[in-house]
């Protein structure tokens, strides 16, 4: 499996890293910043942070949510009026629902927080990285519109 490199030549190109994708790539492109006029150490630090934040999965936060859900349900079973006892199938489904909700919520919040950190990092990079010379953009031919005649319509 080869790793693709995404070269960023201008700070404005960083905004594409923060776009939501319906299906994120299995292996995200590595980011390589070609920032002239900025210290190489600073550029490498930005690259490490961008590579880490560009494809969040929320796994650590989902694991915390799983732990909170299981421990919370066990505490509920201990403190309920019937005691630990045998919770039965209804209690099993309630426990499963609690664990699914806490895990999913924590995973989703982890993804949102990571995306927020990515957008904040992109704003910081864009404020600090000032390109020395704007890249020349190729433009297609420019066609001038014919001047409108006063009072004329549709070629009259």
């Amino acid at each position: 499996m080869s790793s693709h490199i995404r070269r960023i030549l201008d700070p404005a190109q960083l905004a594409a890293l923060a776009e939501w994708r319906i299906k994120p790539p299995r292996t995200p492109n590595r980011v390589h910043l070609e920032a002239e006029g900025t210290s190489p150490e600073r550029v490498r630090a930005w690259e490490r942070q961008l590579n880490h934040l560009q494809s969040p999965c929320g796994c650590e936060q989902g694991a915390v949510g799983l732990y909170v859900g299981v421990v919370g349900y066990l505490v509920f079973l201990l403190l309920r009026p019937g005691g630990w006892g045998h919770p039965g199938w209804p209690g099993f489904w309630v426990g499963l629902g609690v664990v699914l909700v806490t895990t999913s919520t924590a995973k989703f919040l982890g993804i949102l927080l990571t995306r927020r950190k990515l957008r904040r990092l992109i704003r910081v990079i864009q404020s600090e990285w000032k390109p020395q010379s704007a890249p020349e953009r190729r433009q297609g031919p420019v066609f001038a519109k014919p001047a409108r005649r006063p009072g004329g319509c549709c070629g009259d």
Side-chain angles (χ1 to χ4, degrees):
M1 202 180 289
S2 65
S3 176
H4 299 285
I5 296 175
R6 183 176 195 161
R7 295 190 186 285
I8 306 291
L9 305 171
D10 188 72
Q13 293 175 320
L14 290 169
L17 295 176
E19 292 176 352
W20 281 90
R21 295 177 203 90
I22 292 176
K23 184 181 176 198
R26 281 191 141 164
T27 56
N29 295 335
R30 284 188 17 235
V31 176
H32 177 73
L33 300 176
E34 295 187 9
E36 297 139 1
T38 308
S39 72
E41 296 83 22
R42 187 74 174 142
V43 171
R44 298 302 158 241
W46 288 340
E47 287 175 352
R48 276 192 308 275
Q49 291 173 335
L50 288 170
N51 286 324
H52 177 71
L53 295 174
Q54 75 171 326
S55 186
C57 70
C59 297
E60 293 95 11
Q61 294 83 3
V64 169
L66 176 68
Y67 178 74
V68 167
V70 168
V71 169
Y73 181 66
L74 291 177
V75 168
F76 165 75
L77 286 179
L78 285 173
L79 299 178
R80 71 186 180 141
W84 180 260
H86 181 65
W89 284 109
F92 169 77
W93 292 115
V94 168
L96 183 64
V98 166
V99 168
L100 284 174
V101 167
T102 57
T103 304
S104 301
T105 302
K107 185 172 178 73
F108 182 70
L109 288 175
I111 291 171
L112 284 179
L113 290 174
T114 305
R115 306 283 305 173
R116 186 176 177 192
K117 287 180 187 177
L118 176 65
R119 287 191 305 271
R120 189 179 311 131
L121 176 64
I122 288 173
R123 282 194 305 269
V124 166
I125 294 172
Q126 287 175 337
S127 69
E128 292 181 18
W129 176 16
K130 303 295 181 197
Q132 291 179 346
S133 61
E136 294 181 19
R137 296 184 176 102
R138 294 183 62 88
Q139 294 182 352
V142 177
F143 298 103
K145 290 184 178 179
R148 294 186 99 190
R149 291 186 293 181
C153 175
C154 304
D156 288 341

